[in-house]
Amino acid sequence: MIDEVGTKLFHQSMPFTERLGVEVLEHGAALVRSRIAWDESLCTLGGVMHGGVLMSLADGTAAVCAFLNLPEGKQGTTTVESKTNFLRAVRSGYATATARPLHKGRSFIVVETEIHDDADKLVAKVTQTQAVL
């Protein structure tokens, strides 16, 4: 089921996610889940979802996770480091990202995001550091 409030939060704070068609499934401080549908316009040759699309999905999902874990009085975050391991291709269906905070500090928040395909196979693992603004 689509989380309409979470989807609106994504699209208002990151308009690029609306252009990509990102849908939010769940959002909270402990876990943020979103997905993007496979579409030929988001692929490389051979019908494989482009790695940049997957990285964008992970970045947006982790950004909202970091934002929901901000220390009191802070206003936002910005990505300062992101590491992605691609493990398999997405050729149909959805890519679903699940982000969880690993570290919630005063200056940095570290988030780990996993992307799975419709068969629940791990597609990519992303570790991201967000600076607290």
Side-chain angles (χ1 to χ4, degrees), residues 10 24 26-28 30-34 61 64-65 68 97-100:
F10 265 58
V24 176
E26 180 179 355
H27 78 288
L31 178 107
V32 178
R33 288 181 52 236
S34 66
T61 306
V64 170
C65 185
L68 294 173
T98 304
R100 292 180 173 88

Side-chain angles (χ1 to χ4, degrees), residues 41-127:
S41 68
L42 302 175
C43 292
T44 62
L45 293 176
V48 174
M49 189 177 282
H50 192 284
V53 172
L54 296 172
M55 291 173 76
S56 294
L57 176 65
D59 184 62
T61 306
V64 170
C65 185
F67 179 80
L68 294 173
N69 283 283
L70 280 171
E72 188 156 337
K74 300 299 180 177
Q75 298 178 353
T77 68
T78 189
T79 305
V80 295
E81 188 271 338
S82 186
K83 161 117 175 45
T84 304
N85 287 310
F86 294 106
L87 305 170
R88 69 183 324 105
V90 175
R91 297 179 194 278
S92 64
Y94 288 90
T96 302
T98 304
R100 292 180 173 88
L102 291 178
H103 170 76
K104 300 180 277 186
R106 290 177 301 190
S107 301
F108 295 99
I109 298 172
V110 179
V111 179
E112 182 174 73
T113 304
E114 290 188 348
I115 300 175
H116 289 84
D117 63 14
D118 283 345
D120 203 31
K121 296 204 175 182
L122 186 60
V123 170
K125 191 153 195 155
V126 182
T127 304

Side-chain angles (χ1 to χ4, degrees), residues 2-4 6-12 14-25 33-39 41-42 49 52-54 56-58 60-61 93-97:
I2 304 302
D3 175 345
E4 299 294 338
T7 299
K8 187 175 180 179
L9 171 65
F10 265 58
H11 294 173
Q12 286 180 338
M14 298 170 287
F16 180 61
T17 63
E18 184 173 17
R19 181 173 214 132
L20 287 174
V22 174
E23 300 172 318
V24 176
L25 303 172
R33 288 181 52 236
S34 66
R35 70 180 185 179
I36 190 167
W38 180 95
D39 186 272
S41 68
L42 302 175
M49 189 177 282
V53 172
L54 296 172
S56 294
L57 176 65
T61 306
Y94 288 90
T96 302

